[in-house]
Amino acid sequence: MAQTVRDAVLHNPAMARVFERHGIDYCCGGQRPLDEVCTEKGLSPEALIAEALPPTEPDIDWNQAPLPDLIQHILDRHHVYLRAALPELERKLVRVREAHGATDGPTLEELGRIFIGLRDELMSHMAKEEQILFPMIQRLSSGLPAPMSLDGPIGMMEYEHESAGNALAAMRRVTSGYVLPAHACGTYSALYHQLAELEADLHQHIHLENNILFPRAAGIRA
Ligand SMILES: [Fe+2]
Ligand SMILES: [Fe+2]
């Protein structure tokens, strides 16, 4: 039997984002054959599957690269990702809660509560980095004096990273490691997959800041 749109998402949850990008309904209309939907949209199934592959990262040694390049990479790769992923995750949480609140209410409520706290914290956290700390590091790395010590802003960012890490761990605990219940639909599956993706991306993002950017910036000042 031909692979359906729903099968494609269940087999590879990253397909959910690709289908959304192309306006393909993978949830309620997900039982339609993938070939048929692609023909209708003038797309090839192979091209859609290729779109779901993670982009390859250029092999850059961030311990050596200029700090403004590292900052630009963090902004382009991680801050842009969060600004797109956080609202999308919130929409999915609402849809899953509407559809599965009767059976999974307490888990989904708790998950939603932790997620919203994390989202609010990350949005203000990124604004502080973009408006205060990163411009200070850029000034220092081009030989100009910073208007104040980096200690305070770096300490604050590290504290907020720890809080974000705690929220990620709590979401993983509440969902028993993102294990889907047997009755999960395509949106549920995409939600859990994308939350796990958020976790992996934030771990990488925080690593670049805590372990590379901040110590290197502190070194310029010394
Ligand atoms: Fe950041
Ligand atoms: Fe950060």
Side-chain angles (χ1 to χ4, degrees):
M1 208 174 79
Q3 188 187 37
T4 64
V5 172
R6 181 175 181 276
D7 292 339
V9 176
L10 288 176
H11 177 67
N12 177 8
M15 287 300 291
R17 185 167 302 151
V18 178
F19 288 144
E20 267 163 29
R21 199 179 296 141
H22 292 283
I24 295 171
D25 175 9
Y26 60 90
C27 193
C28 304
Q31 73 288 354
R32 295 184 63 200
L34 181 59
D35 284 346
E36 185 187 301
V37 173
C38 283
T39 308
E40 197 179 285
K41 297 257 179 194
L43 299 163
S44 95
E46 293 73 25
L48 289 184
I49 290 161
E51 265 187 59
L53 294 172
T56 46
E57 290 277 344
D59 203 7
I60 296 171
D61 180 358
W62 293 118
N63 287 300
Q64 303 296 330
L67 286 187
D69 291 0
L70 172 54
I71 288 175
Q72 200 56 48
H73 170 76
I74 290 170
L75 295 172
D76 293 346
R77 172 73 183 77
H78 298 290
H79 288 208
V80 166
Y81 160 78
L82 281 176
R83 287 202 168 90
L86 293 171
E88 191 183 317
L89 280 163
E90 188 184 356
R91 281 192 294 275
K92 284 205 170 66
L93 257 165
V94 169
R95 278 164 62 192
V96 170
R97 218 156 37 186
E98 280 168 5
H100 300 277
T103 48
D104 306 338
T107 299
L108 294 172
E109 283 300 318
E110 181 65 356
L111 182 63
R113 191 189 61 75
I114 303 165
F115 173 80
I116 293 300
L118 175 66
R119 179 205 62 186
D120 290 349
E121 192 175 75
L122 285 174
M123 293 307 287
S124 92
H125 177 86
M126 286 191 291
K128 286 180 234 171
E129 287 180 341
E130 290 164 14
Q131 288 160 25
I132 301 166
L133 182 56
F134 290 178
M136 280 172 71
I137 297 175
Q138 275 157 336
R139 276 181 68 86
L140 278 171
S141 62
S142 54
L144 296 165
M148 60 171 162
S149 161
L150 291 184
D151 290 350
I154 286 181
M156 169 67 79
M157 294 304 100
E158 286 173 341
Y159 174 79
E160 291 180 1
H161 289 164
E162 199 178 320
S163 168
N166 290 340
L168 292 174
M171 291 200 295
R172 181 165 278 280
R173 203 166 44 242
V174 163
T175 57
S176 306
Y178 296 116
V179 174
L180 287 165
H183 54 266
C185 63
T187 308
Y188 213 139
S189 161
L191 171 69
Y192 272 22
H193 176 76
Q194 285 170 26
L195 282 172
E197 224 172 52
L198 172 79
E199 180 185 55
D201 188 88
L202 254 180
H203 284 158
Q204 176 63 18
H205 180 174
I206 291 172
H207 159 72
L208 288 175
E209 291 175 354
N210 275 10
N211 301 333
I212 303 181
L213 179 63
F214 298 167
R216 285 190 60 195
I220 303 177
R221 174 184 52 145

